[in-house]
Amino acid sequence: MEAFGLFGLFFSLIGLIIPIAVTVFLLVWIHGIKANSEVQVQQNQKIIELLEEINNK
């Protein structure tokens, strides 16, 4: 019976850790996407400025 209790404890810990790990992974992933999109917007603005300079010459 004691071995079954240890396995039950092990599986319940896994059941708690997996959703937390998935949530943390998704939050880190979303943060990375948001940070990269801000950089992309800045790069796009710079490209537009350069294209406008070329067209005005």
Side-chain angles (χ1 to χ4, degrees), residues 35-52:
N36 287 338
S37 68
E38 290 174 4
V39 169
Q40 186 68 43
V41 167
Q42 291 173 352
Q43 289 174 344
N44 288 343
Q45 289 173 344
K46 183 65 177 174
I47 290 170
I48 290 169
E49 290 173 6
L50 292 172
L51 288 172
E52 286 175 348

Side-chain angles (χ1 to χ4, degrees), residues 8-21:
L9 176 64
F10 177 72
F11 286 121
S12 54
L13 283 175
I14 288 176
L16 289 173
I17 291 172
I18 288 176
I20 293 170

Side-chain angles (χ1 to χ4, degrees), residues 22-35:
V22 169
T23 303
V24 169
F25 172 76
L26 288 174
L27 289 174
V28 168
W29 185 44
I30 290 169
H31 176 71
I33 289 172
K34 185 176 183 294

